[in-house]
Structures are given as structure tokens and as C-alpha cells.
Amino acid sequence: MIELDYALRRGEFATRVNVTLDDRVTGVFGPSGAGKTTLLGTLAGLVKPDAGRLVLDGECLLDTERGIDLPLHKRRIGMVFQDSRLFPHLTVSRNLEYGYHRLPREQRRFSLAQIVELLELGALLRQKPHQLSGGQRQRVALGRALLSSPRLLLLDEPMASLDVRLKMQILPFMQRVRDEIDIPMLYVSHAIDEVLQLTSRMLVLEQGHVIGYGDFVNVMRDTQVLALARSLGMENVLQVELLSHHPAEGYSVARLGVQSLFIPLSAGAVGDRITISTAASNVALASEPVSGISIQNQLPGTLGQMRQVDHRMLVDVVLDTHTLVAEVSAKAIPDLALSPGMKVHALIKTQALHLYGQAL
Amino acid sequence: MIELDYALRRGEFATRVNVTLDDRVTGVFGPSGAGKTTLLGTLAGLVKPDAGRLVLDGECLLDTERGIDLPLHKRRIGMVFQDSRLFPHLTVSRNLEYGYHRLPREQRRFSLAQIVELLELGALLRQKPHQLSGGQRQRVALGRALLSSPRLLLLDEPMASLDVRLKMQILPFMQRVRDEIDIPMLYVSHAIDEVLQLTSRMLVLEQGHVIGYGDFVNVMRDTQVLALARSLGMENVLQVELLSHHPAEGYSVARLGVQSLFIPLSAGAVGDRITISTAASNVALASEPVSGISIQNQLPGTLGQMRQVDHRMLVDVVLDTHTLVAEVSAKAIPDLALSPGMKVHALIKTQALHLYGQAL
Amino acid sequence: MSILQLTPEEIAALWLSAKVAFFCTLLILIPGVLLGWVLARKRFFGKALLDSVVHLPLVLPPVVPGFLLLLLFGSQGFLGKWLQETFGISIAFTWMGAVVASAIMALPLMVRSARLAVSQVDRGLELAAQSLGAHPLRVFFSITLPLALPGILTGMVLAFSRSLGEFGATITFVGNIEGETRTLPLAIYTYTQIPGGDIPALRLVLLSLLLAFAALYFSNVMEQRALRRIGSGDDRA
Amino acid sequence: MSILQLTPEEIAALWLSAKVAFFCTLLILIPGVLLGWVLARKRFFGKALLDSVVHLPLVLPPVVPGFLLLLLFGSQGFLGKWLQETFGISIAFTWMGAVVASAIMALPLMVRSARLAVSQVDRGLELAAQSLGAHPLRVFFSITLPLALPGILTGMVLAFSRSLGEFGATITFVGNIEGETRTLPLAIYTYTQIPGGDIPALRLVLLSLLLAFAALYFSNVMEQRALRRIGSGDDRA
Amino acid sequence: EDKVTVFAAASLTNALADISAAYEKEKEAKVTQSYAASSALAKQIENGAPADIFISADTKWMDYLQDKKRIEAASRSNLLGNKVVLIAPKGRGFKVDFNAGFDFAKAFDGRLCTGDVEAVPIGIYAKQALGNLNWWNSVKTRIVGAQDVRAALAFVARGECAAGIVYETDAKVSDKVEIVGVFPQETHTPVVYPVARVAGAKNADSAFLTYLKSPFAADIFRKYGFTPLF
Ligand SMILES: Nc1ncnc2c1ncn2[C@@H]1O[C@H](COP(=O)(O)OP(=O)(O)OP(=O)(O)O)[C@@H](O)[C@H]1O
Ligand SMILES: Nc1ncnc2c1ncn2[C@@H]1O[C@H](COP(=O)(O)OP(=O)(O)OP(=O)(O)O)[C@@H](O)[C@H]1O
Ligand code: MOO
Ligand SMILES: [Mg+2]
Ligand SMILES: [Mg+2]
């Protein structure tokens, strides 16, 4: 549990955050300059707020009123910086070991070899930071922070300059960190789907203020937040419960309200609640159930509100417990004679559903 | 036209590039450490190759054999660096003006006000770089490079740390730069769809070598390149010709081979060829044409190769001139009795098609 | 506080010292920075030699450079003759000579500081500036120089201080002439040569310190400002 | 080359100078770096005063610090008595005294260089190290110090050179005793006081230079190595 | 207005300053003075320093300039004399017999301070005297050479040296030392301060030189412990 309560003014920029984070992993969002880096910096002790109180798992890190200010190196908060901050005079391997080899053996949560292999750092170990490419640098920074086995890990756009293949390789590892080692994390990224792979809990900042905190689905209800999400093609974010797995066929079945949903094979246990999402553009409408088609999910519902956003037609499909957003072409409306109140089926391909909050 | 021909060895890393770029805008891809930044640096004159020859629009920038090496400041090649490299002692506005106010008036292609407005820098003009957030810094760097009105613009992951809203705002501007001002660009980014908004021409590097250069569609034929693209959900990349526009209904019609395709409203002129793409997961299959459904595109074809990749079932749908890749759940195969040679319809929602190479 | 009651001669010495130190700092500023820059950034034949020559005045007992200056700038000397014939001036035995003497002694301090500062300026920024079309000369003035400013200020403080304390080269080159070349250190020396001169000598020592402190204070303010400009002040972040 | 034929006394002076300069550099290395670090990074009451005091030896004519040392370390002096009673040693009139004298004169150069170097070390890296659990002391040794190394080397070069050239404070504090305190500058001074001593003086000057060049060469090699370690060598990229 | 420039050994500072002040008042002239070690002054004059009159602390540097024809030989004369004395810190005096049989080395414990015995005039006189008394070999390792006579005096005054050899003028003005004895005249060449006009001096007038030898000046010199030799 992380209690954050601080106020800080720096020139034009003023931030006031008061929130208690009770999740193992929290995504932090917000537009450029919202104060995300500032928030992480405050926690780590890099930035000293004008006034405030920070409590991590019951331990008070900072309390300006009581004059408490735990020094950085005692906070044991790892940080991966936007600008990697590798030690320029040390080789990659020395950088990696920096927080590691002084650590009591029992506090070590990874072996050096493990991290090196995972982040594909083997060939770089003897290089100096100035000899690395941008992405390589960021991988080393990530490894260095992990190896220091912190009790809280702060990640500031750690993968912004990584290629997709590496992202895909590192993400599962981040998930392992989350699941197996139980290091709580705050994860700043502009790529929502990246974060959703780690958690569905998030904190949304705008202009120094918290405009949303909680489960992604709930946070998304906020109009301010929604605007951001929409532009990311994340109109439908649903919490479902796993009912069964069919590994041979590569799918799982999940319960959405009273309906069953075919989703890509999930690694979660039966009974787990997981988050799935799909863009409105992935939801098709049919007036009748359709057969002889590879689209497995055909959810009966009622047409709700219909609205135009920019060039897009968005229509709500009201299921018994949830509402889906479908994007249809303007042409489809006369073609299918769509109107509010009409009974329709929402068609979603199994493969168009993204699973979050679980190992790939 | 840019003739690149150079060899360079730096420690373990050796690169050998010999390619002539004949496009206004070229995307540069490759995994981390492939030599992308090195390529841009060589062109700009930041990195001196061991041997080589560089020609930009007929002017020789470098020729190690003939002992030619045009100094940096005479190359007039703008660069946006991965690590912004703002001048720490100058305010944002002085940074922006740096390459600008010494420029002869007739060479200026933008006004300061234009750039400031576009990149939303108004509130930051009096700040110093250390007071900026990561994203803000990168925006300033972009503005600074543009204002120097170079004859070639090199962009090294310029938007990696920008939020989606800003990306969306800046991309159209980059498109304007490309279209109106005719500055040729080399654009490095790990986000293929970002690059595809600017060009479909790309150069793919791996381990210091060019493994592909040309139109995205053609480059993607290469198995090495394809692997990268697949992981990006870019299985279907198609070149289509615009047939008609229907602004009121928000769609356009395009020709794919002999078939018509409904696509989101395009800004291109009728007759233009544009690039569209969709993930395999967006392509559904039906054994018969389906009516009463919002999916506009139902393309008749024949089932080709079927293969399993990780947990995914990918099947080819052979149209008369093109081949589409559809992802289906394993369960759909027995359900629909799918087998090679079978006649099927490929169903694609209009909204699931992404348009590239044009203004948004 | 009669110990602080200054005689006119002492005021003259104070004023002269301030003037000499000021012009000394001014005189070596440009060559010092240029030499520092050249030594930090350039590779050329004879660099090691140049580097060594710059350090000479530091390595030798001050009498030696003083004597060499006398040989060079004296009325028989090569430069002395030239100056005399061309401009009709002679700097030997004038306060200008004192400036030259302490400048020579202070030069290595200036050069070394500038060199260190320049070598720590990020090459990447200079290259970025060039890629924006800036001629290397403009890059030097607009990027390198401002970023090296804290180091240049350090060099100036060291030079000013060294000049305030310079004795050996000055007395050897321009003598100890009241009102013309008798700077504070020379005045202090003069007092130590006479019986009972301890108290006035002490007073002059205090005066020296006052002057030095003022210069230091001024330079610290400047340095803080320079550091704040590049964002590496005392901020915690 | 009879001019280069050294007398045993001259060889002794050369050897003594090298020894004194070496131990002088060694002696002020740690306090110099610490003071530089404190002045660059800490804020405390009396900082301005400390800063000023460190610069004193530079500002005063060398005779003054020499005389103060005599007052302190002489047999009547506070520290001199204490050293005598506690360790039974007396540094006045010994080569160790010469080390102390030139150390005091060289300290400001060391401190200023170290301070400049430390103030240019990226705070962000130090903070990153702390966030990895490193105690500030470890951060200092593992991050700050190595990154400030070029500046510390500069300080050492300046200190070594200054010590080689130190005359005024040394002769005032420890006198001019052949084989014990007659360093090269004192020997050179002796020759300059004798009519016709120019030639042997010149020979000793050359000897000084040789020693200084060797030190400079060594330091340049070290500096290049240090710069290469942090990747800001002569590379174009 | 009359101008005259005097280059004089540093030990003459007070005396010459007083005399110059009186002269300036009397003759409405300007006396420019530069005080430094005789060696430095001689080298400066050799290199064209604008001096009119040179007063050296020993004959060697005057000879040096005379050899180089930088002074008017005819104008040269011995201006002042001084005595070489043995001193000790106040209250720590010891008995000395100034003859060859005396065991000088045993007479005191500790070091003997004087000017550098090769270079500084007082040191050279001291070496001569010690040599002539046959004391040199037994004390030479205990000798501390100082930069000048004032520095040697300071060493003794601070008690760092148990004995010192300085000029009488210096010894007389310090209340921290006592004079143990005066070296007999015959043990060293006479201590003289020669004076001469610099060759080609702009100020051809020898008024100041004459004034230096006036009874008034003699009084002032005596006041500071010198022995006028005119
Ligand atoms: N030292 C400083 N002085 C003044 N303002 C500052 C300083 N540091 C940061 N700021 C301002 O604080 C605000 C928040 O910065 P922060 O780095 O926390 O943003 P961010 O949310 O991380 O943005 P990004 O996504 O672009 O990295 C910005 O508007 C920035 O201009
Ligand atoms: N100064 C150097 N010395 C040695 N090797 C270097 C140096 N600079 C870069 N390299 C190596 O050159 C290779 C290419 O680096 P480059 O920066 O061009 O990669 P990149 O394609 O831009 O990668 P990224 O996407 O991670 O930024 C890397 O393997 C890197 O380790
Ligand atoms: O070391 Mo000196 O000769 O007193 O300035
Ligand atoms: Mg940030
Ligand atoms: Mg790169």
C-alpha cells in the first residue's frame, strides 16, 4: 500500500496528489507534462515536495510536518529512468552489479545470469554505456533496477525505445516479477495496452492532478479519461470470469454477465477474473444470429445510443449486464435499418479480444 | 536521392550499408542495435565511417577515397536525436531559434509561431530544458530541427516518449512537411504504423546490414522482415486504388484486384493508390455470404495454406490478385469444416482497415 | 582601530593590486580560454610541447619567469625594443609590466581550468548545434563557451588570486616602485625588510584578504548563476 | 654537453624536489578532493568563509603563509609543540616541512579543480546510484570520484607543478639547507644571487622543466585514460 | 620638476625613505625608489632599468655592473658600513671567544641561521668569518640559509635557531634577540654599501648623490644603525 499525499510547485507547474494506491501494480497515465515523472521522483526521493506525506507499506518515507525524510538509499525503491542514467564509466556488467553485489544474499531475487539472458545482454556485458544504442541502454537500466531487488519498482516509460520483439520478450518477465516476486510496481507508459498487460489498475494524471484512479474499466467512465482511451482504440474494456480452457483448440471460455464468450487461450485459473478489451471497430452488428462464419461470439443485445465522433459512428449495444461500443460505417445504418431499441447481435472474433493482466 | 555506401566497425559491431534511397520519405526499421542511429549519424556527419561515399541529391557529402568530407554545418541535414540534445543553457525559445534566426529569410520554411502552435510549445518558451518533461523535451527538439529548414530531415524515434494525443497531433504535421515543403526524411521508429502514416517505403536493417528496402508490401515478403511485422499485427498490408468517396456516410470505396472494398473515408484523390492494412485477427471467414450484418466487406476467395503459429491459427485466403491472412480460432476449423481449397468469404469490417500514407 | 588606518601609500598599493589583478585576469581571459579549448579539443603536432610550455611559469621559481620577462621586455630585449620602436611604450618598470608578470604566472591556472571545463562539455551538444547549420565558430561561442563558463570562472578566480599574491616575478621584472609597481605583496615584503614592520605588514595582509574575499564572493555569485543556467544548481532533482 | 653535467649537489636538489612534489601531491589529494566535494555539493553555515580560507595561500605573497607556518609548526608553535611532544618529530627545517609548505600553497589549486570537476558530475547519476541502495559514501567513491577524475588529475598536475616551483613559502618556513630543504627553486635562487650564476641556474631550470614534463606527460596519459573510460575521448561521435 | 630614481638594497628601505622625503621637500624634486635584493636590482639595471642611482648591499653586484660598464665608475664610492654580529634568542645567549681555538660548535645547541652562504650577502660574510675562525667545518651542517637577512633574524627571534649571524642594524632593532658578539673586522671583508650613478642616467644631476653624503643623511643612516663611510 502506498499513501501519496503531496503538493509541489515548480515554476508554472503545480501538482497536488492525494491518493492511496492499494495494488501490486499500478499503471500511471497522463499526457506529456502531467506530472508522472514527478510522481515517481517524489516517491523515490529524487524530488522533494513542498509539503507532503508518503507511506509505503506502513513505513513513513516522508512527512514534511514531522520532519521525516528517509534518505534515498534507505527507501529501497528501484527506478528505471526515462533517460536510462547508466554510469558512464562502468561497463554494462558493472552497471548491472551495482545494486546487486552488495545486497545480502537472501534479499536477491534474481541471479545476474537470469537477467542477462532475459534481457539479451550477454553480448553487451563488456561494453561501456556510450557504446550502446538507445534500446540497449534502456534494457541495461531495466536489468540494473531489477537486480537491486527493490521493494517497489518505479518504471518511467521503460520500453519507449525498445523494439516490439524486445517488448514482447520483456513484458512476460515483468509479469513474472509482478506475480512471482511480488514486487509492487508503478508503471508509466503512453502505451495503454502495454500497461494493461501488467495491470488493469491505473492512476490517471492531468496537469498535476489525479483525474482518475481505480480499475481501468471504472476509470474509463470518466469523460476526461475516456477521451484519451478512445484515441487508443480501447473502447471496450471488460472484466470477465474464466469458465474453462481448451488448450488444444487455443481458446478459453469466459463469462460476461450471463453470457459465454470465446476468448484466446488464457493462462489464468478457472474462476479468475481477468480483463479483456477490444476496439469498437472490432465489434460488428448483425440483425440475426449468423451461421457458417468464423466469428464465434455473437452476443444478443439491444441497440442503445448512437453517436458520431469525428468521422466515426459509434453505437452502444446494451447486453444484460454490460454495454459494448461498436463502430459501424454510416452506410450500415440504413442498410441494416439500425435504430435505438432494436434487437441486434454483437459479433466479436475470438482473436480480436485482447487479454490483459496475465502471462502471455 | 540519397546514395549511401559505407562500412564501419566499432568494437563488436560492424555495419556495411550500400543502398540508394529514392523516396522523399523512408522509414528505417530494425531491432535494437541494428545500426539505425549509426546510419542517420553517418549521413549527418556525426559518425565517420571507415570507408564510404555519401551523395545527397547529387552533392557528394563524403567520399573517403577522394578525401571529401563536408563539415556538419554545411550538410544542412536536420536531426532529431533519441536523446533530444537540447542546449541546457538556453530557454526553449532560444533553442528553437538556434538554427532559425541565422537562416536567410528565403530559406525559412516555417514561422516560429507556426511551429510553436503546432507543437503546443507556447507555455514552455521561457523554460529551460531541465524544467521540461521527457515528452516536452522531444517536442522542442522536433521543432528546433524543423525550424532549421534542412534539406534532409533525420528523425530518430522522435515520438517514442510522446503521448498518443500528441503523436496524433504531430503526425499530420509531419505529413504536411512531407507533402508541402518537400523535405525528404528518414524516419526511425519501432512503431510501424506510425511510420506507415508517413510512407510505405522502408529500409530494414538487421545487425548492421540492409535486409530489405522498398515498398512495405514488397519488403514484407522477406521472411526475416515478415517475422517482425507479424509480431506487430500487420499481417495484411494491401495497396488499393481509390474509386469513390462518400463523405456523408464516412467511407470510401477502393479497388483491390477486381473487387471493391469499403474503407474508412480517405482524403486521397480518386485514382490514388494508397496502402491499407489490417491484422489477421480482423479477418473473419464465412462459408456463405452473410446478410443482415454490419460487416461490409465480404470478399470471395479460396482457402490456401493453414498453419499454426504459437497458439494462433493462420489461414490464407487467396483472392484473385491478393492473398489475405486470417486468424481463426482452432475451434472454428471443425465448426466450419475449413480445409484448403474450400470456397470462403473473407469478412472485414470497414473500420478494421487502417489507411496509411495520407492525411488523417 | 588604528591598525586599520591606512596610509596613502598603502591605499595606493591596494588600488594598484586591484588594478593589476583585474587587468591580469582580463589579459589572459581570451588566450587562456582559447588555449584551454585547443588543448581540450584539438589534436595536432606539438600539442604536448604547447601543453608543457603553458605550465612552465607554474613549475619554475617565480624569479625565473620574472628574469626571462626582463630579458624579453627590457630596453635591450627583443620585445622591449619592438614595443618601444613601434608604439613608443615600455612596459618594464610600469604597472603594465606588473600585469604582464602576473599574467604569465596566472596563465597556466586559467588554461588548465578552461581546458577541464571544455573537455567536460558534451560533444553531442556541439554536434547538434552544427547539424543545425551553425559554423564551428558560432558553436564555440554559443554552446561550448557558455557551458564551460563555470570552469572559466574558476580559472578567472585562480588567476585573479594568483595575481593578487604574485611577488617573485613582479619584483624581478618591474621592481618595487611605490605607486607604480609596488603591489600589496611587494609592500608587504618591503615592510618585512624593515625593523618593526610586522604590524603594518599584517595590516596589508588583511587588506589583501579583503580584496580576495570580495573577488571570491563576486565569482561565487557568478558561478551559481552560471550553474543555474544549465540547470545543475543545488536542486535535489 | 658540460652544461648538462650535474654536480652531486644538483642531483640532490633534483631528487629532493621530486620527492617533495610527490609527497605534496599525495598529502593534499584527499583533503583537496574532500574540500572540493564539500564546496561543490554541500550547503552549510560558513561555507563562504571556508571557501575564502582555502584560497588564502594563493592570494598572499608566499612569504606570508611561510611565516605563518613557522609560527604554527616552529618549536614554539602550537602544532610544532604538539608534534614534538606526541610523536617526537619536528618538521621545521626538514624536507617534510618543505612538503607542508608547498602543500599549503598548492591546496587551493587542488580544491578548485576538484570542486569544478565534482560540480560537473551529473547529480542524476548520483541519485540513480542511491536509488539502487548505495550509501552516499559509496556513491561518492564509486560514481562521483571516478567521474570527477579528470578534474582531480588536473588538480594533481597543478599541485605537483606548483610544488616544483614553490620558493617563497618554503625558504621562509624551512630555510635553505643543502640536502635537506634545498629544492630546485631554492638552488636556482641561490645561483641567481651570485653574479655569473646564470649558466648553472639555467641548467637547473632545464632540470625543473624535465621533471615537470615527465609529470605532465604522465598526467596526460592518465587523463586520456580517464576520459576514455567515460566515453568522452576524441571520438567524433 | 627634478626627478631621480634610486634602486637600493631592501635593507635600506627606512633610511632612504626618510632621506628621500626630506630631499623632496627641500629641493621640490621627486625621488622614485625601488627596493629589492641587490641581485635583482643589478640585473634590472643591466637590462636598461630607468635608474639613476644604485645602492648595493655588497660590492659584488656593483662590480658586476661596473664590469658591464653599466655604472659610471668614477661616481662609485662606499656609502655605508655595517657590522656582522652573532645573535641568540633573547635570554638564551652564550659565551663566545672570537678566536680559532674556541670550540664554537659546542657553544650552543641547535641551528645557526644566516643568509644563504653562497648567495645572500650576509651569508657570504658569515661563511668568510666562520672560515677564518676555523669554525666553519664544525658547524656547516647546522647552518640554515635564509632568503635574506630579515628572514634569518625571524628564525632566531622565533627561537627556531639557537644562534644567528646578521648585521648589527637588524640585530639592534629586534627585542627578541640579543647580540652575543661582534665578529672582528679582520675575519671578513668589510661590509660596505657601495653607491654609484648608473651609466647613461637620464638625470645627469648628481644633487641627490651629494645629498646622500650630507651630514643630515649621515644622521639618519646612523639612526638606523649604519656606519656612514663618507
Ligand atoms: N525543475 C523544474 N522546474 C520547473 N518546472 C519543471 C521542472 N521539472 C519539471 N517541470 C515541469 O513539471 C511538469 C511535470 O513534469 P513531469 O516530468 O513530471 O511530466 P511527465 O508527466 O513525466 O511528462 P512526460 O510524459 O512528457 O515525460 C512539466 O510541465 C515540466 O515542465
Ligand atoms: N562508440 C561505440 N563503440 C562501440 N560500439 C558502438 C558505439 N556506438 C554504438 N555501438 C554499437 O553499434 C550498434 C548499433 O548502434 P545504433 O545506435 O546504431 O543502434 P540502433 O539501431 O539505433 O538501436 P536502438 O533501436 O536501440 O536505438 C550497437 O550494437 C551498439 O552497441
Ligand atoms: O614564490 Mo615567490 O618568489 O615569494 O612569489
Ligand atoms: Mg516523464
Ligand atoms: Mg538508436
Side-chain angles (χ1 to χ4, degrees), chain A residues 134, chain B residues 37 82 156:
Chain B
T37 300
Q82 252 173 317
D156 198 354

Side-chain angles (χ1 to χ4, degrees), chain A residues 10-13 30-39 82 156-157 188 190 205, chain B residues 124 127 130-137 139 161-163, chain C residues 235 237:
Chain A
R10 261 186 326 211
E12 312 266 285
F13 176 75
S32 179
K36 304 181 296 294
T37 300
T38 306
L39 186 145
Q82 252 172 317
D156 198 353
E157 304 188 39
V188 173
H190 291 304
L205 293 176
Chain B
L124 308 176
Q127 311 257 52
H130 75 275
Q131 301 173 319
L132 301 180
S133 74
Q136 292 168 338
R137 232 172 269 162
R139 274 186 278 156
S161 52
L162 294 182
D163 64 54
Chain C
D235 212 21

Side-chain angles (χ1 to χ4, degrees), chain C residues 62-63 162 165-169, chain D residues 62-63 162 165-169, chain E residues 147:
Chain C
V63 179
R162 184 72 180 90
E166 215 304 306
F167 166 72
Chain D
V63 178
R162 184 73 180 90
E166 215 304 307
F167 166 72
Chain E
Q147 182 176 4

Side-chain angles (χ1 to χ4, degrees), chain A residues 267-286:
Chain A
V270 169
D272 279 4
R273 291 187 67 78
I274 64 166
T275 305
I276 62 175
S277 90
T278 198
S281 63
N282 287 329
V283 182
L285 298 182

Side-chain angles (χ1 to χ4, degrees), chain B residues 179-193:
Chain B
D179 298 334
E180 296 173 21
I181 327 195
D182 203 34
I183 294 185
M185 297 187 225
L186 282 182
Y187 193 102
V188 173
S189 168
H190 291 303
I192 288 207
D193 48 335

Side-chain angles (χ1 to χ4, degrees), chain E residues 86 94-104 107 133 135 180-184:
Chain E
L86 182 67
F94 47 90
K95 230 189 89 50
V96 188
D97 282 334
F98 288 94
N99 60 59
F102 182 74
D103 191 354
F104 183 58
L133 288 165
W135 295 350
V180 173
V182 179
F183 282 91

Side-chain angles (χ1 to χ4, degrees), chain C residues 57-87:
Chain C
L58 205 57
V59 172
L60 296 173
V63 179
V64 175
F67 184 59
L68 292 177
L69 284 174
L70 187 61
L71 291 183
L72 265 180
F73 283 99
S75 58
Q76 320 295 310
F78 167 67
L79 282 173
K81 269 191 189 144
W82 178 78
L83 275 180
Q84 182 65 54
E85 282 161 18
T86 326
F87 303 102

